[in-house]
Amino acid sequence: GSLVAAVLASSGRLDKEDLGTRIGRLSRRVEELKAGPGTGRGQGEQVCNMINKKYNEFLPSMQSAEDLVSKVDGLSSNIDLLKAGIENEVQRDLNVAVAEFTELKQQLERDTLVLSILKKLQEFDTAIKDYNSALLEKKYVAAAQQLEKARSSLKMLESRKGFELKILKALGTELTVQTQNMLYHLGEEWQKLAVWKLPPSKESSSLESVMHSELHLRTVPSKEEEIAGPPVASVLQAFAVLGELHTKLKIFGQLLLKYILKPLISYPSLQPFTEEQADVFVLRFKAEEPNLDHSSPMEVFYKIQLVFEVLYKYLLNVPLEQPAEDKKECGVTLAELLGDMIWEELSDCLIQNCLVNSIPTNSSKLEQYIEVIKSTEEFEKALKNMHFLKGDTTDLLEYARNVNSHFANKKCQDVVVAARNLMTSEIHNTVKITPDSCVALPRLPSPATEDHLKTEKASKLLHNDMVNLENEAKLSQYMFSLPTCRISSSVEKLMELAYQTLLEATASTDQCCIQLFYSVRNIFQLFYDVVPTYHKENLQKLPQLAAIHHNNCMYIAHHLLTLGHQFRYRLTNILCDGAATFVDLVPGFRRLGMECFLAQMRVQKGEILERLSSARNFSNMDDEENYCAANKAIRQVLHQLKRLGKVWQDVLPVNVYCKAMGTLLNTALSEIVTRIAALEDISAEDADRLYSLCRTMVEEGPQVFTPLPEDDKNKKYQEEVPVYVQKWMTFKELMIILQANLQEIVDQWADGKGPLAAEFSAAEVKSLIRALFQNTERRAAALAKIK
């Protein structure tokens, strides 16, 4: 067995000749061993015996291997014969069979395709026939379904590539014609079901034209449905099958919004009026006297709900598809489809034209808004019950519930709008402010708690027991009050608006409180930006308005110092930690008022200097023409100052008025002194005339100080002119020099200690002496004493 396996593993067959050769070689080796030397004879015999034994054992195995080899040779011959037979006969027959099978398969596919096309053509023909029959019987849903079957069959035929039949084009044309015919009939029925009577398109926006809008809905009694015509469901469901319902409902929804729903929201006097006739339900309008400019949300919701109830009852309570026999509940209704189309636009209109107007303007009315929220919930619930709204639609309700935010936004917007209107109003309409004046506000509640009050009382008792080290003299109650002046009435109203808004913030929610507080800050920042720009031209040209604007800014800055502190402990905790302040705005307002008034002062100074420039430097006054020019310049300056005095009278605070007029008068006097002191030659006649001009300024200059309307009260301020006019004494000393002799001038100088030395320098006095007096020994002596 092992030998056979070895033979088969090595070559598959055993060569008998090769085996015999090997046995022969082995036998010869055995004989050689037997014939060896005598010494190895015994050993050789043992080897021969062993070989013989092995040979005897090997011989049966060799014989069985030879038998196996012969069998293998026979099997190999049979395999070769079988292989030759397969290659020559079976393969040829197999190729022929495969070719025949492929041909039969292709033929079957062609026959199957032709059969399916013929079947679809038959289905198309049957559907068209059934459609015509159903259309004649006014079974519109069945007719529409048959059209859709025909369209499906035609699409299937057109999708078969390689079968582009000429008949398909004719079938497509026939299908289009029948579809349009069907839509025409449905359109006719739809126009009978919902009839609009509309005003002319050019007049559709007025209340009078809206009154002529009507909607007639056809109603068919159940017993007469078959006689009178198809019901609403049949027509609308047929539209749905044909894919035209969305277009029809969209047009209907836009008409409903434009001519019924939106007018009911916009016009409070408009009321829906329904009338049920024999086979028609009429929806029209009637007008009533409105109680308010805007309807309440409850009234608007009632009107809109009434319209939807009518539509749901007579038109839109129809499923998109006919319910199957095994399904009791229908799917999506036409009411839900219409609601999806118009709800977004309708809800926006309700919010913008109804709910916005119902937002309270006062926090005390916020509690009453619960009624609006409740009515909104009921309105949405009613629409959901009629399937006009889906379960997750809460646009109106979300807006109504977010009333605190809307109240804050509306209040802030109203505050800013009101403030801007005040800022752009006329400045010259003024009111008088006195130290006793205060903003008209209810008394703010004390922020102190009971514990705080107890602590304060204990602190007072402790202080009473201790030695009082404070000065018993108390400050006047008017020490920190704004001085009497005039401000714009609009600014007074602006400040009252700020106080009222902050008072409103104290009674509001935290978020609303923060918004209102920063709205107040915004109106002051708006004032800072708007007023100087909006009134720029008038503030530059009109001195009175510049003075009023100065007072306005100082008035606002005065209140801003304590405005935040007054409300600090009444506002939300977020603002109590130092955020509720307006003090940072105070420097800006003071600077704004001062810059405007100083700009006007520069303008007036420029005009004074321009007028004095026409005085011909006050030289050669003995010339009548020169004297007249100088006198005219003096008169013009005095006239300008008197006009300013009247314009600023009772407007500026007295101290500001006196400083302003004193500054301008000082400008005129300083210019006159400078020009006269610069003269190189002054004759006696020139000196007399210069003295006359200066006397005019001294006599009439104080008269421009008229800060108060009562003339008798102005004398006090006219006597205090030297306090406000820096060059007043200098001017009077100049007048003395113009009329004095040399000795009097020397006496006035008094070795640099007299009144003349206090106003003029030695060089200026010497220059005047040289101009007034001729060059004599007396003049030289006098000049020697001026040092």
Side-chain angles (χ1 to χ4, degrees):
S2 61
L3 178 60
V4 171
V7 171
L8 292 176
S10 60
S11 60
R13 60 178 63 179
L14 190 61
D15 192 347
K16 293 186 289 182
E17 295 181 357
D18 184 61
L19 184 59
T21 303
R22 292 171 63 187
I23 293 174
R25 189 183 298 113
L26 184 60
S27 297
R28 287 193 298 271
R29 181 60 183 164
V30 171
E31 290 298 330
E32 290 176 358
L33 290 174
K34 288 181 178 182
T39 54
R41 182 178 296 274
Q43 185 177 1
E45 290 179 354
Q46 292 180 358
V47 171
C48 288
N49 293 334
M50 183 181 63
I51 291 173
N52 289 330
K53 183 179 181 181
K54 291 292 181 181
Y55 178 77
N56 291 332
E57 291 176 357
F58 172 72
L59 189 60
S61 299
M62 185 191 70
Q63 291 176 350
S64 62
E66 289 178 349
D67 294 339
L68 183 60
V69 167
S70 62
K71 291 180 181 180
V72 169
D73 290 339
L75 182 60
S76 177
S77 299
N78 292 336
I79 290 174
D80 292 339
L81 292 174
L82 182 60
K83 180 179 180 182
I86 291 174
E87 291 177 352
N88 295 330
E89 297 178 7
V90 177
Q91 186 67 41
R92 184 179 64 252
D93 296 340
L94 184 61
N95 292 336
V96 173
V98 170
E100 291 178 355
F101 177 78
T102 303
E103 184 179 355
L104 290 174
K105 182 181 179 183
Q106 292 175 352
Q107 183 64 37
L108 179 61
E109 290 177 352
R110 285 194 297 269
D111 294 343
T112 303
L113 181 58
V114 172
L115 182 61
S116 65
I117 291 174
L118 293 174
K119 186 178 180 181
K120 290 299 178 183
L121 288 173
Q122 182 185 12
E123 290 178 359
F124 181 89
D125 183 66
T126 303
I128 293 297
K129 289 180 180 179
D130 293 343
Y131 153 76
N132 288 322
S133 300
L135 187 61
L136 290 175
E137 297 175 5
K138 294 188 175 181
K139 296 180 180 179
Y140 292 119
V141 176
Q145 290 173 346
Q146 293 302 323
L147 275 182
E148 288 304 304
K149 286 183 180 179
R151 181 173 286 104
S152 177
S153 299
L154 183 59
K155 286 183 179 179
M156 183 65 71
L157 291 172
E158 291 174 345
S159 66
R160 299 289 187 180
K161 295 182 180 180
F163 280 82
E164 290 79 6
L165 303 177
K166 295 182 180 180
I167 194 175
L168 296 183
K169 185 176 181 181
L171 294 180
T173 303
E174 177 65 17
L175 182 62
T176 302
V177 170
Q178 296 301 332
T179 302
Q180 294 303 317
N181 182 39
M182 177 76 178
L183 291 175
Y184 172 77
H185 283 83
L186 290 176
E188 291 291 323
E189 295 294 344
W190 174 248
Q191 289 180 1
K192 296 177 183 177
L193 294 173
V195 181
W196 288 94
K197 292 186 178 181
L198 304 176
S201 58
K202 296 181 180 179
E203 303 176 359
S204 60
S205 60
S206 64
L207 177 60
E208 292 75 11
S209 63
V210 170
M211 289 292 296
H212 296 92
S213 301
E214 294 183 6
L215 174 60
H216 293 214
L217 300 176
R218 182 181 175 189
T219 59
V220 181
S222 58
K223 295 181 180 180
E224 302 177 6
E225 280 186 359
E226 297 180 358
I227 301 174
V232 175
S234 177
V235 175
L236 296 179
Q237 286 174 353
F239 272 126
V241 173
L242 295 177
E244 293 293 326
L245 181 62
H246 188 275
T247 303
K248 294 293 181 182
L249 276 186
K250 186 175 182 180
I251 297 173
F252 180 82
Q254 293 302 316
L255 292 174
L256 186 68
L257 282 171
K258 183 176 182 180
Y259 293 101
I260 293 182
L261 299 179
K262 287 186 177 180
L264 286 175
I265 300 172
S266 302
Y267 301 111
S269 61
L270 210 60
Q271 297 291 333
F273 177 70
T274 59
E275 180 182 356
E276 191 166 2
Q277 300 176 1
D279 59 346
V280 176
F281 189 90
V282 181
L283 177 63
R284 58 167 63 99
F285 298 114
K286 62 180 179 179
E288 297 180 356
E289 288 295 328
N291 297 327
L292 300 171
D293 294 336
H294 302 285
S295 298
S296 67
M298 287 73 75
E299 295 174 354
V300 173
F301 291 159
Y302 173 77
K303 298 176 188 178
I304 301 298
Q305 184 175 339
L306 176 61
V307 173
F308 278 120
E309 287 175 352
V310 170
L311 293 176
Y312 184 76
K313 181 178 180 181
Y314 293 102
L315 188 66
L316 299 176
N317 186 18
V318 177
L320 287 180
E321 299 176 357
Q322 287 184 330
E325 295 180 359
D326 58 340
K327 294 182 180 180
K328 296 182 180 180
E329 297 182 359
C330 60
V332 179
T333 62
L334 297 177
E336 186 174 344
L337 184 61
L338 180 65
D340 289 340
M341 293 179 183
I342 68 172
W343 177 247
E344 183 177 355
E345 188 173 352
L346 178 62
S347 61
D348 288 343
C349 185
L350 283 170
I351 291 173
Q352 299 300 327
N353 298 306
C354 179
L355 289 181
V356 166
N357 299 323
S358 68
I359 298 297
T361 56
N362 194 304
S363 58
S364 61
K365 298 180 180 180
L366 280 175
E367 295 181 359
Q368 302 175 6
Y369 200 77
I370 297 176
E371 184 179 355
V372 176
I373 298 176
K374 185 178 180 180
S375 65
T376 306
E377 291 178 346
E378 294 174 353
F379 175 68
E380 285 197 351
K381 183 178 179 180
L383 294 189
K384 289 176 183 177
N385 291 336
M386 291 184 287
H387 305 291
F388 281 100
L389 286 184
K390 296 180 181 178
D392 56 350
T393 305
T394 56
D395 294 348
L396 288 178
L397 193 56
E398 286 180 1
Y399 185 91
R401 286 176 175 171
N402 202 16
V403 61
N404 287 326
S405 175
H406 300 315
F407 164 74
N409 294 336
K410 183 178 181 180
K411 185 70 178 180
C412 293
Q413 182 179 359
D414 292 344
V415 166
V416 173
V417 170
R420 196 182 189 286
N421 291 336
L422 291 172
M423 294 172 199
T424 54
S425 60
E426 296 296 338
I427 297 179
H428 58 74
N429 296 325
T430 62
V431 293
K432 194 167 187 176
I433 297 297
T434 64
D436 296 323
S437 301
C438 61
V439 179
L441 275 181
R443 184 178 181 84
L444 288 174
S446 174
T449 60
E450 293 183 3
D451 295 338
H452 180 71
L453 291 175
K454 292 178 180 179
T455 305
E456 187 176 348
K457 290 179 181 178
S459 176
K460 288 183 179 179
L461 291 174
L462 181 62
H463 283 297
N464 290 337
D465 295 339
M466 298 173 65
V467 178
N468 188 4
L469 300 178
E470 296 181 358
N471 191 348
E472 294 183 359
K474 294 184 178 180
L475 297 175
S476 169
Q477 61 175 333
Y478 302 126
M479 176 61 66
F480 299 105
S481 298
L482 199 69
T484 301
C485 63
R486 282 194 172 273
I487 64 170
S488 301
S489 59
S490 59
V491 170
E492 184 183 42
K493 294 176 182 177
L494 182 70
M495 190 53 62
E496 290 178 358
L497 176 66
Y499 274 93
Q500 291 290 351
T501 305
L502 288 176
L503 188 63
E504 189 80 34
T506 61
S508 303
T509 60
D510 288 354
Q511 182 61 35
C512 181
C513 177
I514 294 172
Q515 285 184 254
L516 291 176
F517 171 79
Y518 282 103
S519 290
V520 175
R521 281 187 61 93
N522 288 340
I523 65 175
F524 290 121
Q525 292 171 345
L526 191 66
F527 182 96
Y528 189 90
D529 295 329
V530 169
V531 173
T533 304
Y534 186 83
H535 300 283
K536 181 178 181 181
E537 186 175 352
N538 288 334
L539 293 178
Q540 291 175 347
K541 292 181 178 180
L542 304 177
Q544 185 185 38
L545 294 189
I548 295 174
H549 178 65
H550 166 270
N551 295 346
N552 291 341
C553 294
M554 295 303 169
Y555 175 80
I556 292 175
H558 176 75
H559 280 276
L560 291 181
L561 283 170
T562 58
L563 183 60
H565 179 75
Q566 294 177 60
F567 291 91
R568 177 180 177 184
Y569 297 106
R570 308 308 309 173
L571 298 174
T572 178
N573 293 333
I574 301 175
L575 297 175
C576 286
D577 298 333
T581 181
F582 296 88
V583 177
D584 57 310
L585 302 177
V586 171
F589 273 91
R590 288 177 174 171
R591 184 171 57 253
L592 183 66
M594 290 174 60
E595 287 177 353
C596 176
F597 190 68
L598 290 176
Q600 186 60 231
M601 288 288 289
R602 287 191 292 271
V603 171
Q604 298 302 324
K605 285 183 178 181
E607 292 182 3
I608 290 173
L609 296 176
E610 184 179 358
R611 290 186 168 93
L612 290 176
S613 66
S614 63
R616 301 185 181 182
N617 292 328
F618 296 93
S619 62
N620 300 326
M621 288 293 100
D622 52 352
D623 186 346
E624 192 65 28
E625 186 177 347
N626 287 350
Y627 175 74
C628 290
N631 187 49
K632 181 180 180 181
I634 293 294
R635 290 294 175 184
Q636 286 178 341
V637 169
L638 289 172
H639 176 73
Q640 177 186 345
L641 293 176
K642 288 179 181 178
R643 179 172 56 83
L644 279 176
K646 289 295 182 182
V647 167
W648 289 342
Q649 183 184 75
D650 201 34
V651 173
L652 287 171
V654 172
N655 61 328
V656 177
Y657 177 96
C658 292
K659 288 180 181 178
M661 294 302 299
T663 301
L664 294 177
L665 181 58
N666 185 73
T667 299
L669 298 182
S670 178
E671 181 68 11
I672 294 172
V673 169
T674 302
R675 291 181 181 246
I676 294 177
L679 295 175
E680 296 180 356
D681 185 18
I682 304 175
S683 65
E685 186 177 357
D686 290 344
D688 291 339
R689 291 195 167 186
L690 287 174
Y691 179 83
S692 176
L693 294 175
C694 293
R695 185 178 59 194
T696 301
M697 289 296 296
V698 171
E699 291 176 355
E700 298 186 19
Q703 296 177 10
V704 303
F705 285 78
T706 55
L708 302 176
E710 301 83 0
D711 291 336
D712 55 337
K713 294 183 179 180
N714 291 326
K715 293 181 179 179
K716 170 187 175 183
Y717 305 104
Q718 293 172 358
E719 293 172 353
E720 296 176 351
V721 167
V723 177
Y724 304 107
V725 183
Q726 184 179 359
K727 293 291 184 178
W728 184 260
M729 297 308 297
T730 303
F731 194 76
K732 297 194 75 172
E733 288 296 325
L734 176 63
M735 291 176 62
I736 293 174
I737 292 175
L738 290 175
Q739 291 293 298
N741 55 37
L742 284 172
Q743 185 58 45
E744 290 173 343
I745 293 175
V746 172
D747 293 342
Q748 284 290 103
W749 182 259
D751 295 330
K753 299 179 181 179
L756 182 59
E759 306 299 334
F760 288 97
S761 65
E764 290 173 335
V765 174
K766 288 180 179 181
S767 177
L768 284 171
I769 291 175
R770 292 189 184 100
L772 288 168
F773 301 96
Q774 294 180 353
N775 188 9
T776 62
E777 293 180 359
R778 292 182 59 197
R779 191 186 81 170
L783 290 173
K785 294 180 180 180
I786 305 299
K787 54 183 178 179

